Structures are given as structure tokens and as C-alpha cells.
């Protein structure tokens, strides 16, 4: 990647297409995916402009709970009194590092508590408002397709052909965290002839106030589908 292209990326990141990931396991997954990619970089905003530095290698230290970033220390300098920003090649994720320590050609910083990452679903999404409430039914993948035990009906924030945005009560957080692969068994009250497997790709505490209609705290949960809904059932569901 040329320096010119890097500068354009830094200057034109559109955060409208991003969401905040605050969930520890998802943040670690993003860092792990990015560690095997080549076009990661860091930058600092100085009085002279943006100092953009390519990352040679990114390591995750699970014992120290730190990220180690290696760069060309002979060519580039990082100012210790300014924050560092990191752009990862995986889903063009970005985050701020307010505190770090320097090594020889490397810098160390704690696992970030928040990462801005692009939405996975770039196809058409159909949102539902509290005035037009819809539900889906989910259950753990360890259960058989036809078993009804452990099934949970949850509110839907939006749906696409490849994913779902769910609204989950804080009370059911452990259900989601302990069951990262789920069966989708129903759209509203219509049973899917063949349940579809879905993966939990994020759990977020950020939920628009218009969806926060219950007294208990609620979470935003994103699912990525392994298949697609039958077209006739999907169209009836959207009506």
C-alpha cells in the first residue's frame, strides 16, 4: 500500500458505516484476525500533520494482556506524549491508544476497551421499530433441529438475507455468551422447515434509545447466518 493511499484511508474513514465493539471476546477476535494481515498501520496527529507508520508485525500477549506493535524504529519516531491511533486491515477497524510504552522498534499497550469496526452486513437491511415489533426464535446449536427445549423468543431490530440484529435482555446475556452458534427456528410464529445456523458476531451495550422499551437493560446482538431464509417465509415476515 502506498503512502498516498494510506493517507486517503485515514482522512476518509466514514464512521457512519462503523459500530463500536465493546465486547472483550469480539475485540480479541478482531486483533487475532488482524495479526495475520499485512496492511495494518498506526498514526499520530502532530503539528506537522499525520505521522503514518506501517506495522511490520502485531503480537498479542495474553499473559500481560497487551498488544505489541513492531515497526521500523530507525525510520520512524513515535512521540510518547501524544496518543496513537491504530488502523487494522481486518474490517478496516480503528481504535485509539491513549497510553503506551516504547521498546526498541516496538510499542506496547493494553487491549483496547473499544474498537470501531465496519458493519459486516452491507446488503439491504430491513429495520423494525417498537411500533412494528417482530420476533425470532433461537436455540443453542447443541440442541437438535427439531427439539423445542431451550428455545428463546427475542425482539428483532433489523433483518437482512444474511444476518439479524437482535435486542436481548441483559438477563439473557449469559445465554448468548455461552451459545455463540445458534439455530434460528422461527420468524415470528412461522416455523422454518429447516432451521438456519447463525453465529454471534458481536454483543454491544450500545442500543438506540427508541429500542430501549423495557425496564431492564437490553443489549444489541448481531448474528451472521450460514444460509438464507426461504423467500416466501421471508417476504411474509416483512409484511
Amino acid at each position: 500500500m502506498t503512502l498516498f493511499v494510506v493517507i486517503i484511508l485515514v482522512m476518509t474513514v466514514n464512521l457512519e458505516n462503523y459500530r463500536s465493539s465493546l465486547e472483550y471476546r469480539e475485540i480479541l477476535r478482531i486483533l487475532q484476525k488482524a495479526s495475520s494481515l499485512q496492511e495494518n498501520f498506526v498514526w499520530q496527529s502532530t503539528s506537522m500533520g499525520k505521522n503514518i507508520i506501517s506495522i511490520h508485525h502485531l503480537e498479542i500477549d495474553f499473559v500481560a494482556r497487551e498488544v505489541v506493535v513492531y515497526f521500523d524504529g530507525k525510520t520512524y519516531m513515535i512521540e510518547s506524549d501524544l496518543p496513537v491511533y491504530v488502523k487494522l486491515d481486518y474490517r478496516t477497524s480503528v481504535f485509539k491508544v491513549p497510553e503506551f510504552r516504547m521498546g526498541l522498534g516496538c510499542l506496547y499497550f493494553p487491549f483496547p476497551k473499544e474498537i470501531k469496526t465496519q458493519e459486516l452486513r452491507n446488503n439491504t437491511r430491513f429495520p423494525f421499530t417498537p411500533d412494528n415489533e417482530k420476533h425470532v426464535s433461537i436455540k443453542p446449536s447443541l440442541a437438535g433441529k427439531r427439539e423445542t427445549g431451550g428455545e428463546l423468543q427475542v425482539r428483532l431490530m433489523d433483518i437482512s438475507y444474511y444476518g439479524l440484529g437482535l435486542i436481548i435482555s441483559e438477563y439473557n446475556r449469559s445465554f448468548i455468551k455461552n451459545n455463540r452458534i445458534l439455530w434460528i427456528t422461527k420468524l415470528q410464529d412461522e416455523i422454518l422447515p429447516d432451521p438456519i445456523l447463525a453465529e454471534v458476531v458481536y454483543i454491544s451495550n450500545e442500543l438506540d434509545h427508541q429500542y430501549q422499551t423495557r425496564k431492564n437493560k437490553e443489549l444489541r446482538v448481531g448474528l451472521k447466518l450460514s444460509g438464507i431464509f426461504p423467500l416466501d417465509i421471508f417476504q411474509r415476515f416483512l409484511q
Side-chain angles (χ1 to χ4, degrees), residues 1 15 24 42 68 80 93 105 110 128 131 136 149 158 163 177 200 216 225:
M1 180 182 293
L15 292 181
Y24 178 76
V42 302
V68 188
S80 60
S93 303
F128 300 102
D131 295 331
V136 299
D158 57 54
K177 293 192 73 172
V200 177
N216 296 330
L225 300 178

Side-chain angles (χ1 to χ4, degrees), residues 145-201:
K145 285 186 179 182
R146 305 304 173 190
E147 295 178 15
T148 58
E151 198 168 70
L152 182 68
Q153 187 182 68
V154 295
R155 282 198 296 150
L156 194 63
M157 186 167 65
D158 57 54
I159 190 171
S160 75
Y161 290 105
Y162 304 104
L164 303 170
L166 306 181
I167 302 171
I168 303 287
S169 167
E170 175 70 38
Y171 177 79
N172 290 314
R173 179 192 282 266
S174 60
F175 177 92
I176 294 297
K177 293 192 73 172
N178 295 331
N179 297 286
R180 308 296 289 202
I181 305 297
L182 298 160
W183 288 113
I184 309 298
T185 58
K186 294 179 185 177
L187 294 184
Q188 206 67 1
D189 295 321
E190 187 160 4
I191 298 174
L192 297 177
D194 290 302
I196 297 175
L197 280 175
E199 177 189 3
V200 177
V201 292

